[in-house]
């Protein structure tokens, strides 16, 4: 349980530095994911490359009211409509309930928020377009080579580390419907 808690705290801390998403025209402010329209695409699966040859797989549905992220043996699940959230450990096949606010905070960076763009980039950033995972993404960049990229309010690129080191970049995206049970605890897992 301690391992899961600490992994969750690390993931949340790392996740808090990631930024949300925008539409191709730059998007608008969308800082409250529980009350505002979230994504401009109903559902999908996005796979990101992260340093050290790892991947993050994210499923979403209902325009961003339901999320599932799989990374390094951990699974985070949020279903805002059901007001439920879970964290699972794929290595030991266990899961636990987590606070709804924690999961909302964890997944919020996947959704565009202009205030976060301004916070993470230096003053005088520019806006351009870059094709990432086959989509024409709006990319914000600053003089120190930091970049943030979005498509339809969904984050496709996070390169805000020193000198624009890529922390997360989409390698594939599809508007595929999530499989049945995606936003529930994994079957066959033991609840802690």
């Amino acid at each position: 349980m301690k391992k899961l808690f600490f992994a969750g705290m690390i993931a949340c801390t790392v996740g808090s530095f990631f930024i949300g998403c925008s539409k191709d025209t730059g998007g608008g402010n969308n800082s409250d994911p529980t009350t505002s329209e979230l994504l401009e695409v109903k559902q999908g699966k996005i796979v990101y490359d992260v340093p050290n040859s790892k991947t993050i797989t994210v499923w979403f549905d209902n325009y961003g009211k339901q999320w599932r992220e799989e990374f390094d043996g951990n699974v985070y699940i949020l279903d805002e409509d059901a007001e439920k959230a879970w964290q699972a450990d794929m290595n030991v096949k266990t899961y636990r309930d987590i606070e709804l606010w924690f999961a909302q905070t964890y997944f919020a960076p996947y959704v565009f928020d202009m205030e976060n763009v301004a916070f993470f980039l230096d003053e005088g950033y520019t806006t351009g377009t870059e094709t990432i995972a086959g989509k024409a993404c709006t990319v914000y960049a600053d003089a120190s080579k930091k970049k943030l990229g979005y498509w339809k309010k969904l984050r496709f690129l996070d390169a805000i580390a020193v000198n624009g080191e890529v922390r997360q970049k989409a390698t594939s995206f599809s508007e595929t419907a999530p499989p049945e049970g995606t936003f529930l605890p994994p079957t066959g897992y033991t609840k802690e």
Side-chain angles (χ1 to χ4, degrees), residues 68 70-75 88-94 186 189:
R68 178 187 178 109
E70 297 177 11
F71 175 69
D72 202 23
N74 284 295
V75 178
D89 185 327
M90 298 169 77
N91 299 311
V92 294
K93 308 280 189 215
T94 60
Y189 281 40

Side-chain angles (χ1 to χ4, degrees), residues 5-133:
F5 174 76
F6 287 118
M9 292 306 293
I10 290 168
C12 186
T13 301
V14 171
S16 70
F17 291 108
F18 294 145
I19 300 304
C21 314
S22 88
K23 51 188 165 183
D24 289 333
T25 60
N29 188 346
N30 200 6
S31 61
D32 186 352
T34 61
T35 60
S36 56
E37 181 182 326
L38 301 176
L39 303 176
E40 295 175 349
V41 60
K42 182 182 184 309
Q43 60 196 13
K45 176 185 179 183
I46 186 165
V47 177
Y48 299 92
D49 267 349
V50 295
N52 300 320
S53 302
K54 295 186 179 187
T55 61
I56 295 174
T57 302
V58 175
W59 289 93
F60 65 91
D61 201 355
N62 198 11
Y63 298 95
K65 292 281 190 175
Q66 295 173 301
W67 292 93
R68 178 187 178 109
E69 179 195 75
E70 297 177 11
F71 175 69
D72 202 23
N74 284 295
V75 178
Y76 290 87
I77 303 166
L78 169 65
D79 186 338
E80 285 194 8
D81 289 335
E83 297 185 358
K84 300 275 187 180
W86 302 274
Q87 178 186 8
D89 185 327
M90 298 169 77
N91 299 311
V92 294
K93 308 280 189 215
T94 60
Y95 76 93
R96 65 183 179 100
D97 297 332
I98 58 175
E99 296 287 334
L100 189 62
W101 67 266
F102 177 87
Q104 289 168 331
T105 302
Y106 185 83
F107 285 107
Y110 283 105
V111 181
F112 176 74
D113 181 338
M114 189 63 212
E115 290 176 12
N116 282 338
V117 171
F119 177 80
F120 283 109
L121 299 181
D122 296 332
E123 289 184 29
Y125 58 83
T126 59
T127 304
T129 304
E130 186 176 323
T131 301
I132 304 170

Side-chain angles (χ1 to χ4, degrees), residues 130 132 139 147-149 155-159 166 168-170:
E130 186 176 323
I132 304 170
V139 175
K147 295 198 300 190
L148 299 167
R155 184 187 66 233
F156 269 57
L157 173 66
D158 172 355
V166 174
Q168 193 170 8
K169 184 175 183 177

